[in-house]
Amino acid sequence: MQSLLAIADPTRRRIVELLAQRDRTAGELVAEFDLSAPAISQHLNVLREAGLVTTRAEGQSRIQTLNPAGLDDLGAWLERTRNFWSQRLDDLERELKADDERNNRKKKRS
């Protein structure tokens, strides 16, 4: 999952957080970090390739926008993972309760 790999980096996560607040130019993003413009550009390229960010031209400016469809992929993965672990924990809880009941019955017979 390319989008998950893209946000594994803290700088890219912060860029996503900033773009979740509002669209920004690359220059505005550069101003938020202690990184060079080419470094931020590389991070934006990774986010674009992962489908998390889109860029549109407005005159001379390039506006960076968060892509909701890219976030949908992450949301779907999180939901699948949450459902998997929820089911596993429910199974564990049932097994522990059954084990407690078996132990209680043994104690009563003793």
Side-chain angles (χ1 to χ4, degrees):
M1 166 172 285
Q2 200 173 7
S3 54
L4 195 56
L5 289 171
I7 63 166
D9 180 88
T11 299
R12 290 192 287 269
R13 276 195 311 274
R14 182 67 183 134
I15 290 171
V16 167
E17 291 168 354
L18 290 167
L19 293 177
Q21 296 170 359
R22 66 178 175 83
D23 296 352
R24 297 170 192 260
T25 65
E28 289 174 312
L29 290 170
V30 169
E32 294 286 334
F33 296 92
D34 190 25
L35 295 171
S36 67
I40 294 298
S41 180
Q42 288 177 344
H43 284 296
L44 286 168
N45 283 335
V46 171
L47 291 168
R48 272 193 295 276
E49 289 172 11
L52 294 170
V53 170
T54 60
T55 303
R56 71 179 187 279
E58 281 187 11
Q60 297 287 358
S61 297
R62 300 292 174 260
I63 309 300
Q64 311 304 314
T65 303
L66 196 58
N67 180 13
L71 295 176
D72 289 344
D73 291 342
L74 285 172
W77 178 84
L78 287 169
E79 188 63 28
R80 285 190 308 273
T81 303
R82 186 179 298 118
N83 288 338
F84 170 81
W85 282 109
S86 178
Q87 181 62 46
R88 298 287 292 237
L89 291 171
D90 289 347
D91 293 346
L92 176 61
E93 181 181 26
R94 277 191 296 281
E95 186 58 37
L96 290 171
K97 284 180 180 180
D99 192 46
D100 284 347
E101 289 175 17
R102 285 189 295 271
N103 288 336
N104 287 337
R105 282 193 298 265
K106 285 181 185 178
K107 286 179 185 177
K108 285 181 182 180
R109 284 187 244 157
S110 301

